Every structure is written in structure tokens, then in C-alpha cells.
Amino acid sequence: MEAYSNLVVLFVVMATWCSMTSSDDIRLPVPCTDLVPLDLLKEAVPTLDHIPPGVSVVYVASSHAHAFQFTTEANRLEFKANKIFKRCEYFPEEFSIFIVLKHTQRRKRQECLFSLVDDRTNKIIISVKLTKVAIVFQYDDKTFRFKTNIFSGDKWHTLGFSMAGDTVVMTTDCRNRRQRQVRRAFPEFLPMTNTSFIIGGCKRKRTIFQGYLKDLILVPGADAVAKVCPPKRHRRMDNTVTTFPHAYEQSPFWPQRVQCSWSDVGNLAFDVYSDKVKVCVNGIWKEVNIQTGKKKLDYFEAYHDVQTPAASIDVEVFTLPGEGLFAVFAGQAGEGDSALFKWVENQFTFYQKLETEAAQSWCHFTIKNQFFLAVANYGSSPDQASNSTVYRWHKKRKKFKSYQTFVTWTARDFEYFKIDGQHYLAVANHAQGDNTMVDSVIYKWDFSQRNFTEFQSIMTVGAYDWTHFVVNDFHFIAIANAFNGLTTLIDSVIYFWQNDRFVQFQTMETNGATDWEFFSIDGDHFLAVANAYNYGPQNYKDVDTFYTNSTIYKLNRQKRVFEKFQIVPTYSAIDWEYVRVGGDHFLVVSNAQNGGEGEELASVVYRWQGLDRFVPVHRLKTLPSADWETFTQGEDVYLIYANAKESTSQIIKAKFT
Ligand SMILES: *[C@@H]1O[C@H](CO)[C@@H](O)[C@H](O)[C@H]1NC(C)=O
Ligand SMILES: *[C@@H]1O[C@H](CO)[C@@H](O)[C@H](O)[C@H]1NC(C)=O
Ligand SMILES: *[C@@H]1O[C@H](CO)[C@@H](O)[C@H](O)[C@H]1NC(C)=O
Ligand SMILES: *[C@@H]1O[C@H](CO)[C@@H](O)[C@H](O)[C@H]1NC(C)=O
Ligand SMILES: [Ca+2]
């Protein structure tokens, strides 16, 4: 029992995470977090073997690329929006659209270039139309007309539209830039369920656009037009550039072209093989660095320190659409309140105090336009129930206010997830007194009562962390079980969703498990466990209790089981964080008790190297780091960690080559 008390103390200084960890990617400040620039034309016509009647493929010699020609006989090119919006239900709040086109005839009436349409009502959600004298951009029920005369000649043109905040910007060939105010609720949450993209048309009529389309690119995220259009000084026309002959083309969609002709200056193109947007600058196709552009990580540098009211064992970074980026730190045991910070002028600055009691983890989620934060409170002692709290964002006051409390037992973690439109919040209850075999509870949002009610209890063993993930539309939750009163070497469990309940899927032997991290690489699915502590008969001499092996598992689809994939030696590892930077995949492991006392005590960044698996590429000598998170701002990628021992947490910035 004495050993157990020590462990309780030990575990108090370890964090768990509302690992509402986006399963795949860095969290971007938009509802759709996993989108890269997309060529909608390629989505509509994946191969050149199946082209709808009335649409033909033509070769554009001047820019060495194919384009689609639409005749009056053209059948609609369309596809369901969920083909690309797989995991988000709302259209990105901030986005850009680029259309590279050439018009063939004088327009007699309005022609529709492209639209997003509600399948059930035929209502247009977003569209771009051409009239004789204007380009018309429609967003929800708002229409913006931009007068133009660029379509007089037989030339290629690039139209760009960017929606960000309360403005929409339209550019033609990067030269002419027009801006309009948009009155819209922010976030507007344009629903994407049961909608379709239609190319060369609007609604369910036949295609009416008459001309050529070369690219139709959707870029989620902030003002891509500004980033894509080269600065003015580069925009002189240069007709000395030589163009390459046809033989230079290697693929029907994206020839390996390097040089572009003067007629392409200001035009842009999309490389489907690398998901890159390229723009023609002074005769060279230049890659554009949009935040999702592929970048190579070079090194990390300390960026700035965040002074928290107390040592903190968890940090949660989230974006409130229309408000900005926030980070909330879980204040350490016995030291009182937690603090919310807001990103202002490239720094996290103090924003609001939040009452907590030995907070262990924060979790942000959104239900129907309402923003929430849930905190798992350890409480004052394992012998007493604690109150864990859900806070709700008050839109007028712009502050979080207490909304609902749950009775919890030494709560370690909240995990939010959504299944079939229903919202769930799972708490990891660690122990009641000396007993670590306690029920952890999954709560479900009751839409009529507007609060969470108990949904399912699952017996857990010194639980630390819930992690939700989805594989092929199947929902899973994994519990990290840390200690059964005798040993840390016990089973952690994965459950999966079947007939409206969670049922056991698989157990894995873990050693003082405190965190699960799920991620996918090239269609393979992985789960990494952080094993924090080695205590019990297997280590009766109590030797090197913090040295453990943490395991990365990979899903075997045939056998339907996660199998050991790689064993990583760790030192009191309590958190894994998966980060994707450009085309590279990284894992950061937090070696919590480190303070730069030795090489092996540093937190380590591993890079995915295919056959070589995860290879350590950086050692980060930091303050005692408990929990790592990543976030992006514009093109910058940051890591942030909570300091479990002192009130100085840190932000680290990724540098790129
Ligand atoms: C989408 O439409 C189909 C039928 O067209 C319907 O079965 C389905 O429930 C709809 N989905 C949603 C989310 O409304
Ligand atoms: C939890 O909240 C209830 C109701 O507000 C209160 O009576 C109780 O003392 C609280 N428990 C703790 C441990 O703070
Ligand atoms: C949810 O709200 C209803 C109605 O306001 C209330 O009766 C109920 O106690 C609440 N449930 C919880 C778990 O707080
Ligand atoms: C970790 O695994 C290695 C071999 O993979 C083994 O030699 C070592 O003893 C293990 N360490 C612990 C603490 O289990
Ligand atoms: Ca986790």
C-alpha cells in the first residue's frame, strides 16, 4: 500500500491528455483539418479513360498541359462532396478557389463554371458564374459581382477567390485584385452532408459553360490568393523564355514542366502528384508554399516561454472560429487554477483564469455552434470524489463559463468524440482510494436537455487516457490502464463500437501506460502507447523504474488486430504526439522527468522512414516536459509543451530548409 501511495504521488505529476488528438494531422484553424489543396477536375475525372460525352480533352501546347473542353452537348461532371470532405461536415470557413480557364464564345447568357449544390434541395451553396461583363461569386445566399473584360481575347486566365473572415477577394491573373465585405456569421458552418460539386454547371441542368478548363483548385485555409500570386516586381512579362516541345510531357495531368511561357505568367497549375500549387513566375513554374505545401523540417528552435500560474501537466491548443487560437494549461495538483492563453501578435498571452482542482487534462470540442472545454480534475485526494467541469464559451462576454459538472474519481482525462451525429465525452477515472479498478464513464450529449448524461460505464484499472480513433468508419476507443495496485504490467484495452455500445476489441500488455496516440501513414494505421513506469514483481528490485519500452502497434487488416510494430526505449514517457509536416511524418515522445540531465533524458523526435520505421532525428533538451502539442499559424509549425515541474512552459518553432 505504501508503494501505491508513492505511485499515486508519482502519477499526480504525470499528465494525461484530452487527446482529442486530431487523428492524422496538425490541427489547422478550420473545421476541415485534413485537407490539402485539391484539384476538383481530377476528382471529377480521375482517369482520362472515362470522359463524359460532350467533354473532350485537349492539349494546350503553350503550357504543356491538358485541359477539358466543354461543348453545348456536355454532360455534367459531378461528384459527391464527401469524396473529398471525408471527415468534416462543414465547408472550410476560410478557403480559396482557383480556376484556370479559356473562353471560346461570346456569352449570350449567364454560364456556370462550377458549383457546390445541396443534393436534396438543389440549392446552390457556392458557385462561380460568368456573365457578359462580370464574374459572379456566390457563397451561401450572398452574391458578389465583379465586373471584368478579361474574356475578350482567346487567352488563358486564372481566376482566384479567397474567403477569409469577413472579406472575399477576387483576382484575375494575379494582376487585378478586388475585395468585398461579406456579412456572415463566423463561423458560418456551411453543411457538407449530401452535397455535390458540379463542374461546368450549376444545379441539375446540363453543363452550360462553353470553353476550356485547365485547373480547378480548392485550397482550404486562409488567404491563399495572396500567397499564390507572385509579388508585383516579378510580374513583368518575359517573352524570351523558350518553351519545351511536346515530348517533354510525361503525364497527362502534370507534365514535368519546369519552364512556362510568357502567356502563362500569373497563371497557376496544380501538380497532382505532389499536391502542390505552382505558379508561373518569370518563365519558371514555381512551387507555392501554402501551409500544406511539402516542406522539409530542418531543426527546432526555442520560440517563446509561456508563464503559467502553476506548473502544468497538460496543454490543449484549439481554435475558436472567429476568435483565434487558444491554449489552455492544466494547473498542477494543489496549486489551484488553470489558465487560458490567446495567441496575440505571435505569442500566447494570458486570457482567462479557469477554476480547477489539480487539473489533469483539458479537452476542447464543439456542439452545434457552441464551444466547450472540459477539464478532468484529480481533486484533493483519491479518497474523495472530485468535480470535473465542462465550460462553455459565452459569445458576448468572450469568456468560458462553467456549464456542467460531473462527479469523477481522480479523473485523469476527458476524450470527446462524435459517432453518427451524437456527441460523447469519456472520462478516465483513475482510482477510488486505494482501489484502481473503478468505472470510467462515457457521457452522451442529450440534445433536448442540452447537457451530457451517463451513457456507458467501463471498468478500468488505474486509467490514464482515453483515445478515440476511426478506421474505415469503425469507431474505437482505447484506454491506457496504468496500475492495478500490485504492478504496472497490466492489460490496456481497445473497444469498438457495435450496436450502439462499446465492446472489447483487443487487449495489449502495457507497463504504466499513460497515453495512446493514433495516426495513419499511407493507409496504414498505428497506435503508440507511452509506458511510463515499471513497477511490480517483474521489477521487484525497483531498478530503473522509469526506463521502459514503449510500443508502436500497427493494424493488421486481415487479422483485425493491432500487432507490435516497433519497440522504442523511453524514459518515463507519458505522451506521444504525432505531427505531420509537409510530406513527412513525425512522432514526438515526451520524457517527462527530464531537465537536461543527460542525453537520454531529452524528448525525442522520430521520423517515419518507411522500411527503417521510426528513426530518431532530433533530441530536444527542454524543461521538464509533460505534454506536447503541435499547432500551425500560417506557414509556421510550432510545438508547445506543458512543464510539469515549473511555471514556465515553452513554445518551439520548426525551421525548414
Ligand atoms: C443523404 O441522402 C441519402 C439519400 O439520398 C440518405 O439516405 C442519407 O441519410 C442522407 N444523409 C444525410 C446525412 O442526410
Ligand atoms: C462538488 O460539487 C458539489 C455541488 O456543487 C459540492 O457539494 C461538492 O462539495 C463538490 N465536491 C468537491 C470535492 O469539490
Ligand atoms: C441535465 O439537464 C436537465 C434539465 O435541465 C436536468 O434535470 C439534469 O439533472 C441534467 N443532467 C445532468 C447530468 O446534469
Ligand atoms: C526493452 O527491450 C529490449 C529489447 O527489445 C530489452 O533488452 C530490454 O530489457 C527492455 N527493457 C525493459 C525495461 O523492458
Ligand atoms: Ca492520447
Side-chain angles (χ1 to χ4, degrees), residues 357 379-381 384-388 405-408:
E357 191 170 13
S380 54
S381 138
Q384 265 180 32
S386 60
N387 288 328
S388 291
T405 43
F406 305 101
V407 176
T408 53

Side-chain angles (χ1 to χ4, degrees), residues 17 19 21 465-467 515-517 575-576:
W17 304 256
S19 30
T21 344
D465 174 61
W466 279 115
T467 292
D515 183 43
W516 284 107
E517 181 83 355
D575 181 37
W576 282 107

Side-chain angles (χ1 to χ4, degrees), residues 112-360:
C112 193
L113 266 173
F114 138 87
S115 61
L116 173 69
V117 172
D118 187 317
D119 290 334
R120 288 162 296 192
T121 61
N122 264 358
K123 186 176 172 285
I124 295 178
I125 300 165
I126 290 171
S127 72
V128 176
K129 295 175 190 159
L130 305 179
T131 72
K132 233 170 171 174
V133 292
I135 297 161
V136 184
F137 177 67
Q138 183 187 337
Y139 175 81
D140 203 10
D141 49 9
K142 298 154 204 84
T143 304
F144 306 93
R145 294 171 61 82
F146 301 96
K147 283 205 169 170
T148 185
N149 57 3
I150 61 163
F151 292 109
S152 51
D154 184 30
K155 286 201 191 106
W156 286 98
H157 296 287
T158 297
L159 306 181
F161 301 90
S162 259
M163 183 72 110
D166 58 358
T167 53
V168 59
V169 170
M170 198 267 315
T171 57
T172 49
D173 301 324
C174 281
R175 293 185 188 95
N176 195 338
R177 183 178 193 278
R178 246 89 60 75
Q179 187 170 324
R180 296 282 158 78
Q181 288 296 113
V182 186
R183 266 172 222 260
R184 61 168 182 161
F186 192 78
E188 178 111 329
F189 287 125
L190 282 187
M192 294 293 298
T193 36
N194 279 357
T195 58
S196 294
F197 284 102
I198 305 178
I199 290 161
C202 289
K203 301 204 179 165
R204 292 286 121 79
K205 289 189 217 137
R206 281 158 45 129
T207 301
I208 52 173
F209 169 65
Q210 301 295 295
Y212 300 89
L213 273 181
K214 198 158 67 182
D215 287 298
L216 210 171
I217 304 162
L218 173 66
V219 186
D223 191 10
V225 162
K227 289 177 187 165
V228 163
C229 290
K232 272 208 165 73
R233 62 195 150 82
H234 289 308
R235 276 192 236 151
R236 80 196 150 85
M237 294 214 177
D238 183 350
N239 47 16
T240 62
V241 172
T242 51
T243 55
F244 279 82
H246 292 194
Y248 200 70
E249 184 181 20
Q250 291 180 351
S251 110
F253 278 100
W254 177 258
Q256 297 297 306
R257 52 195 168 165
V258 180
Q259 288 177 283
C260 50
S261 73
W262 65 268
S263 60
D264 273 319
V265 171
N267 269 351
L268 85 201
F270 185 75
D271 181 345
V272 294
Y273 293 105
S274 61
D275 290 345
K276 277 176 208 153
V277 176
K278 297 191 174 181
V279 64
C280 180
V281 182
N282 284 352
I284 303 286
W285 284 109
K286 276 206 170 162
E287 193 179 304
V288 179
N289 251 346
I290 299 178
Q291 57 203 20
T292 43
K294 311 253 156 138
K295 298 188 264 192
K296 282 279 170 224
L297 180 67
D298 194 8
Y299 62 94
F300 291 100
E301 67 174 15
Y303 179 71
H304 101 89
D305 292 353
V306 182
Q307 297 303 332
T308 56
S312 304
I313 53 183
D314 176 60
V315 57
E316 169 88 342
V317 181
F318 58 95
T319 298
L320 300 184
E323 299 291 345
L325 181 75
F326 294 85
V328 61
F329 288 83
Q332 178 66 268
E335 292 178 51
D337 297 330
S338 291
L340 177 69
F341 290 78
K342 185 176 177 181
W343 188 255
V344 182
E345 289 170 3
N346 298 320
Q347 305 245 317
F348 274 124
T349 54
F350 178 81
Y351 189 80
Q352 183 186 354
K353 197 174 85 169
L354 292 160
E355 224 170 273
T356 55
E357 191 170 13
Q360 300 291 299

